[in-house]
Amino acid sequence: MSKSSEFVDTGSLDWRETPSRGVHWKKLSYDRETGRSAVLIRFEPGAAYAAHRHPAGEEYYVLEGSLEDGGRTYGAGSYVYHPAGSAHSPSSKEGCVLFISLPGPIEPLG
């Protein structure tokens, strides 16, 4: 079965709440069979995302602002790859918007 191209007008999507206060998301794509997804994430200034693991890894690109992750700060234009099994709790002092590609679902940590 061949799949067709997809287009998403991100400006027409509402930001959705996450379990982490001050962090919102927009779903760009999701594959029910594999759990693969692409999302936009927005951190309000001072927000942090709860600790979680990426069993299949994660890639993100900082579109606006800056993100603190793993003891480093990544500004607009930064690309970050986390390998399968990695865990973190990212935050943003100034706020930011990220494009995130996930080959599979995340696992919340305690």
Side-chain angles (χ1 to χ4, degrees):
M1 171 197 298
S2 72
K3 295 190 177 196
S4 61
S5 298
E6 294 180 32
F7 169 79
V8 176
D9 176 7
T10 62
S12 69
L13 298 175
D14 291 331
W15 287 102
R16 300 177 182 189
E17 298 285 330
T18 70
S20 297
R21 184 178 172 158
V23 182
H24 302 87
W25 69 290
K26 292 184 181 190
K27 178 173 60 175
L28 305 178
S29 69
Y30 177 69
D31 184 322
R32 291 180 196 268
E33 292 179 23
T34 66
R36 189 195 74 68
S37 64
V39 298
L40 290 178
I41 297 281
R42 182 185 72 202
F43 282 70
E44 294 176 9
Y49 196 85
H52 59 281
R53 181 180 327 281
H54 294 278
E58 172 192 45
E59 297 177 82
Y60 64 80
Y61 183 79
V62 182
L63 297 168
E64 300 172 9
S66 64
L67 185 77
E68 288 77 41
D69 189 6
R72 295 188 61 186
T73 299
Y74 301 99
S78 297
Y79 164 81
V80 178
Y81 167 76
H82 291 300
S86 61
H88 64 154
S89 180
S91 62
S92 181
K93 291 178 186 166
E94 71 172 288
C96 66
V97 176
L98 311 170
F99 168 78
I100 301 178
S101 177
L102 299 164
I106 67 171
E107 293 176 350
L109 297 175

CSV table of all heavy atoms in Angstrom, one decimal, residues 54 57-61 79-82 99-103:
chain,number,residue,atom,x,y,z
A,54,HIS,N,13.2,8.1,25.9
A,54,HIS,CA,12.9,7.8,24.5
A,54,HIS,C,13.4,6.4,24.1
A,54,HIS,O,14.5,6.3,23.7
A,54,HIS,CB,13.6,8.9,23.6
A,54,HIS,CG,13.0,10.3,23.9
A,54,HIS,ND1,11.9,10.7,23.3
A,54,HIS,CD2,13.4,11.3,24.7
A,54,HIS,CE1,11.6,12.0,23.7
A,54,HIS,NE2,12.5,12.3,24.5
A,57,GLY,N,14.5,6.8,20.6
A,57,GLY,CA,15.3,8.0,20.3
A,57,GLY,C,14.4,9.2,20.0
A,57,GLY,O,13.2,9.1,20.1
A,58,GLU,N,15.1,10.3,19.7
A,58,GLU,CA,14.4,11.6,19.5
A,58,GLU,C,15.4,12.5,18.7
A,58,GLU,O,16.6,12.5,18.9
A,58,GLU,CB,14.1,12.3,20.8
A,58,GLU,CG,13.5,13.7,20.7
A,58,GLU,CD,13.5,14.4,22.0
A,58,GLU,OE1,14.4,14.4,22.8
A,58,GLU,OE2,12.4,15.1,22.2
A,59,GLU,N,14.8,13.3,17.9
A,59,GLU,CA,15.5,14.4,17.2
A,59,GLU,C,14.7,15.6,17.3
A,59,GLU,O,13.5,15.6,17.2
A,59,GLU,CB,15.6,14.1,15.7
A,59,GLU,CG,16.4,12.9,15.3
A,59,GLU,CD,16.4,12.6,13.8
A,59,GLU,OE1,17.2,13.2,13.1
A,59,GLU,OE2,15.6,11.8,13.4
A,60,TYR,N,15.4,16.8,17.6
A,60,TYR,CA,14.6,18.0,17.6
A,60,TYR,C,15.5,19.2,17.0
A,60,TYR,O,16.7,19.1,17.0
A,60,TYR,CB,14.0,18.4,19.0
A,60,TYR,CG,15.0,18.6,20.1
A,60,TYR,CD1,15.6,19.9,20.2
A,60,TYR,CD2,15.2,17.7,21.1
A,60,TYR,CE1,16.5,20.1,21.3
A,60,TYR,CE2,16.1,17.9,22.1
A,60,TYR,CZ,16.7,19.2,22.2
A,60,TYR,OH,17.6,19.4,23.3
A,61,TYR,N,14.7,20.2,16.6
A,61,TYR,CA,15.3,21.4,16.0
A,61,TYR,C,14.7,22.6,16.7
A,61,TYR,O,13.4,22.7,16.7
A,61,TYR,CB,15.0,21.4,14.5
A,61,TYR,CG,15.7,22.6,13.8
A,61,TYR,CD1,17.0,22.6,13.4
A,61,TYR,CD2,14.9,23.7,13.4
A,61,TYR,CE1,17.6,23.6,12.8
A,61,TYR,CE2,15.5,24.8,12.8
A,61,TYR,CZ,16.9,24.7,12.5
A,61,TYR,OH,17.4,25.8,11.8
A,79,TYR,N,20.2,21.7,16.2
A,79,TYR,CA,19.6,20.4,16.0
A,79,TYR,C,20.2,19.5,17.0
A,79,TYR,O,21.4,19.5,17.3
A,79,TYR,CB,20.0,19.9,14.6
A,79,TYR,CG,19.8,18.4,14.4
A,79,TYR,CD1,18.6,17.8,14.2
A,79,TYR,CD2,20.9,17.5,14.6
A,79,TYR,CE1,18.4,16.5,14.0
A,79,TYR,CE2,20.7,16.1,14.4
A,79,TYR,CZ,19.4,15.6,14.2
A,79,TYR,OH,19.2,14.3,14.0
A,80,VAL,N,19.4,18.6,17.7
A,80,VAL,CA,19.8,17.7,18.7
A,80,VAL,C,19.3,16.3,18.4
A,80,VAL,O,18.1,16.2,18.1
A,80,VAL,CB,19.4,18.2,20.1
A,80,VAL,CG1,19.8,17.2,21.2
A,80,VAL,CG2,19.9,19.6,20.4
A,81,TYR,N,20.1,15.3,18.6
A,81,TYR,CA,19.7,13.9,18.4
A,81,TYR,C,20.0,13.2,19.7
A,81,TYR,O,21.1,13.3,20.3
A,81,TYR,CB,20.5,13.2,17.3
A,81,TYR,CG,20.4,11.8,17.3
A,81,TYR,CD1,19.3,11.1,16.8
A,81,TYR,CD2,21.4,10.9,17.9
A,81,TYR,CE1,19.1,9.8,16.9
A,81,TYR,CE2,21.3,9.6,17.9
A,81,TYR,CZ,20.1,9.0,17.4
A,81,TYR,OH,20.0,7.6,17.4
A,82,HIS,N,19.0,12.5,20.3
A,82,HIS,CA,19.1,11.7,21.5
A,82,HIS,C,18.9,10.2,21.0
A,82,HIS,O,17.9,9.9,20.4
A,82,HIS,CB,18.1,12.1,22.5
A,82,HIS,CG,18.3,13.4,23.2
A,82,HIS,ND1,19.4,13.7,23.8
A,82,HIS,CD2,17.5,14.5,23.2
A,82,HIS,CE1,19.3,15.0,24.3
A,82,HIS,NE2,18.2,15.4,23.9
A,99,PHE,N,10.7,21.8,16.7
A,99,PHE,CA,10.1,20.7,15.9
A,99,PHE,C,10.7,19.4,16.4
A,99,PHE,O,12.0,19.3,16.5
A,99,PHE,CB,10.5,20.9,14.4
A,99,PHE,CG,10.2,19.7,13.5
A,99,PHE,CD1,8.9,19.5,13.1
A,99,PHE,CD2,11.2,18.8,13.2
A,99,PHE,CE1,8.6,18.3,12.4
A,99,PHE,CE2,10.9,17.7,12.5
A,99,PHE,CZ,9.6,17.4,12.1
A,100,ILE,N,9.9,18.4,16.7
A,100,ILE,CA,10.4,17.2,17.2
A,100,ILE,C,10.0,16.0,16.4
A,100,ILE,O,8.8,15.9,16.0
A,100,ILE,CB,10.0,16.9,18.7
A,100,ILE,CG1,10.4,18.1,19.6
A,100,ILE,CG2,10.4,15.6,19.2
A,100,ILE,CD1,10.0,18.0,21.0
A,101,SER,N,10.9,15.1,16.1
A,101,SER,CA,10.6,13.9,15.4
A,101,SER,C,10.9,12.7,16.3
A,101,SER,O,12.0,12.6,16.8
A,101,SER,CB,11.5,13.8,14.1
A,101,SER,OG,11.2,12.5,13.4
A,102,LEU,N,9.9,11.9,16.5
A,102,LEU,CA,10.0,10.7,17.4
A,102,LEU,C,9.7,9.4,16.6
A,102,LEU,O,8.6,9.3,16.1
A,102,LEU,CB,9.0,10.8,18.5
A,102,LEU,CG,9.1,12.0,19.4
A,102,LEU,CD1,7.9,12.2,20.3
A,102,LEU,CD2,10.4,11.9,20.3
A,103,PRO,N,10.7,8.5,16.6
A,103,PRO,CA,10.4,7.2,15.9
A,103,PRO,C,9.4,6.3,16.6
A,103,PRO,O,8.9,5.3,16.1
A,103,PRO,CB,11.8,6.6,15.7
A,103,PRO,CG,12.7,7.3,16.5
A,103,PRO,CD,12.1,8.6,17.0
